[in-house]
């Protein structure tokens, strides 16, 4: 089974080798074919077909305010503009727009959103507090020593999150957070802490949230999750028993669901035991993968 979680399969050549040479970047920004991703704050501006929309660059753009997203098959450079923070944008206003994006567009959008958002939130040096400037074609920020800073370079961060199914006797454990829409259940999840492996985090989080001891943690798939910049790492593990002891600060309810129940939920059956996570979420991919296993 080929797994293609949402937001994966970034279709552009990221062009890392072009990022450090300002003359290269000037030439790319002067390419009349160059494209600028249209964003309203962090949200995509939909084109006529509901997909991403692109515009030509200005005549002589400020290269320091652009991030190079990469090149398509015709070596057309694609950029996003780095801007100031936009106050008051609801974090999930984007959901209605995501459905209009093709899979490759969703991957471009995820990368661009996380990158633009990171710049907005990292305008000052975490080491010395001095103002920082974009560098490396938007893929880093510099606390410029020649302008009174400490010289530190800062890079866009990715925060790893484990998301997992604990399996016991042909059933998997699903949980519900209070903020979920009515009927929705999903895989348990949590941030990996410093000093933890993926396996350690799966074991700890499953125990903290549901009181379950798990073993034999196995990796299934991963996806970037641009809200704001997580890497979701989907796993499966074996539960030693099925006695749930809920952490009610994290979960409102949790339950075991068998394969038929998962399949019915993924199919949108109104009599299914839960409403499945949306297809763009890796929890959906993980449940589909598990439901397709033999046992
Ligand atoms: Zn500094």
């Amino acid at each position: 089974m080929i797994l293609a979680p949402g937001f994966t399969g970034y279709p552009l050549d990221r062009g890392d080798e072009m990022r450090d040479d300002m003359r290269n970047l000037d030439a790319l920004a002067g390419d009349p074919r160059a494209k600028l991703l249209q964003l309203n704050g962090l949200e995509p501006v939909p084109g006529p077909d509901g997909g991403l929309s692109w515009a030509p660059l200005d005549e002589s753009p400020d290269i320091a305010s652009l991030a190079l997203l990469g090149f398509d098959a015709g070596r057309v450079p694609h950029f996003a503009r780095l801007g100031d923070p936009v106050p008051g944008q609801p974090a999930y206003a984007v959901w209605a727009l995501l459905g209009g994006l093709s899979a490759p567009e969703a991957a471009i959008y995820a990368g661009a959103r996380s990158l633009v958002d990171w710049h907005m939130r990292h305008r000052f040096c975490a080491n010395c507090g001095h103002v920082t400037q974009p560098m490396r074609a938007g893929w880093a920020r510099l606390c410029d020593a020649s302008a009174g800073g400490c010289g530190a370079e800062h890079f866009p961060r990715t925060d790893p999150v484990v998301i997992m199914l604990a399996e016991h006797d042909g059933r998997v454990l699903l949980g519900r957070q209070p903020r979920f829409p009515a009927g929705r259940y999903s895989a348990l999840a949590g941030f990996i802490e410093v000093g933890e492996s993926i396996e350690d985090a799966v074991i700890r989080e499953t125990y903290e949230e549901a009181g379950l001891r798990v073993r034999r943690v196995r990796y299934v798939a991963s996806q970037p999750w641009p809200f704001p910049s997580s890497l979701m790492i989907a796993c499966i593990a074996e539960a030693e028993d099925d006695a749930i002891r809920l952490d009610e600060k994290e979960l409102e309810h949790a339950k075991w669901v068998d394969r038929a129940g998962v399949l019915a939920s993924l199919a949108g059956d109104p009599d299914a035991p839960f409403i499945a996570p949306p297809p763009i979420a890796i929890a959906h991919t993980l449940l589909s993968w598990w439901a397709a296993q033999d046992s």
Side-chain angles (χ1 to χ4, degrees), residues 183-225:
R184 166 77 51 79
Y185 281 74
S186 189
L188 307 192
F191 284 100
I192 299 182
E193 296 192 341
V194 290
E196 272 187 325
S197 66
I198 293 170
E199 292 85 348
D200 289 343
V202 168
I203 291 166
R204 175 184 56 78
E205 279 286 341
T206 311
Y207 186 71
E208 285 177 3
E209 293 192 10
L212 278 180
R213 297 288 185 191
V214 297
R215 61 195 171 200
R216 288 198 67 213
V217 177
R218 283 162 291 149
Y219 168 84
V220 177
S222 70
Q223 79 170 157
W225 187 251

Side-chain angles (χ1 to χ4, degrees), residues 7 34 42 51 77 91 111 122 129 133 144 147 165 169 190 194 215 224 233 259:
F7 298 124
L42 294 173
H122 292 80
Q133 303 298 334
D144 192 350
L165 292 176
D169 198 18
V194 290
R215 61 195 171 200
I233 303 166
R259 198 162 259 105

Side-chain angles (χ1 to χ4, degrees), residues 9-293:
Y10 195 81
L12 304 177
D13 169 355
R14 290 168 179 256
D16 176 75
E17 73 285 0
M18 308 296 279
R19 292 175 181 169
D20 283 325
D21 185 334
M22 286 306 289
R23 279 174 309 178
N24 267 340
L25 292 173
D26 276 334
L28 293 175
D31 185 332
R33 303 171 305 159
K35 292 180 172 181
L36 180 67
L37 178 62
Q38 300 297 288
L39 294 174
N40 171 22
L42 294 173
E43 294 179 22
V45 175
D49 60 354
L52 294 180
S53 56
W54 302 85
L57 287 182
D58 302 335
E59 274 289 313
S60 41
D62 173 15
I63 193 73
S65 72
L66 296 175
L68 177 63
L69 299 177
F71 302 89
D72 65 13
R75 296 302 290 172
V76 174
H78 289 56
F79 292 93
R81 177 165 284 129
L82 306 177
D84 296 323
V86 181
Q89 277 202 326
Y92 284 84
V94 67
W95 282 106
L97 301 168
L98 286 179
L101 305 187
S102 67
E105 285 181 324
I108 292 175
Y109 173 65
R113 178 184 173 109
S114 287
L115 189 59
V116 170
D117 188 33
W118 176 78
H119 282 278
M120 287 179 180
R121 293 181 296 112
H122 292 80
R123 292 175 295 150
F124 299 95
C125 179
N127 189 44
C128 76
H130 201 270
V131 70
T132 58
Q133 303 298 334
M135 63 182 291
R136 300 209 75 232
W139 289 88
R141 293 186 76 90
L142 176 65
C143 182
D144 192 350
S146 69
C150 70
E153 294 179 5
H154 301 277
F155 296 88
R157 54 178 296 151
T158 290
D159 299 316
V161 174
V162 285
I163 179 162
M164 56 276 178
L165 292 176
E167 184 176 25
H168 187 269
D169 198 18
R171 299 177 302 166
V172 287
L173 181 72
L174 298 174
R176 198 188 134 69
Q177 297 176 21
R179 64 181 178 84
F180 282 3
R184 166 77 51 79
Y185 281 74
S186 189
L188 307 192
F191 284 100
I192 299 182
E193 296 192 341
V194 290
E196 272 187 325
S197 66
I198 293 170
E199 292 85 348
D200 289 343
V202 168
I203 291 166
R204 175 184 56 78
E205 279 286 341
T206 311
Y207 186 71
E208 285 177 3
E209 293 192 10
L212 278 180
R213 297 288 185 191
V214 297
R215 61 195 171 200
R216 288 198 67 213
V217 177
R218 283 162 291 149
Y219 168 84
V220 177
S222 70
Q223 79 170 157
W225 187 251
F227 309 104
S229 57
S230 294
L231 175 66
M232 308 297 293
I233 303 166
C235 296
I236 185 148
E238 288 178 8
E240 293 180 2
D241 59 60
D242 61 359
I244 301 169
R245 184 178 46 74
L246 214 58
D247 174 0
E248 288 172 1
K249 291 198 301 292
E250 297 272 348
L251 295 177
E252 184 177 275
H253 188 234
K255 60 183 177 184
W256 294 96
V257 182
D258 65 13
R259 198 162 259 105
V262 168
L263 285 168
S265 299
L266 291 170
D269 182 338
D271 297 324
F274 67 99
I275 294 174
I280 202 159
I282 200 167
H284 192 283
T285 313
L286 184 60
L287 284 165
S288 303
W289 169 85
W290 179 76
Q293 307 296 303

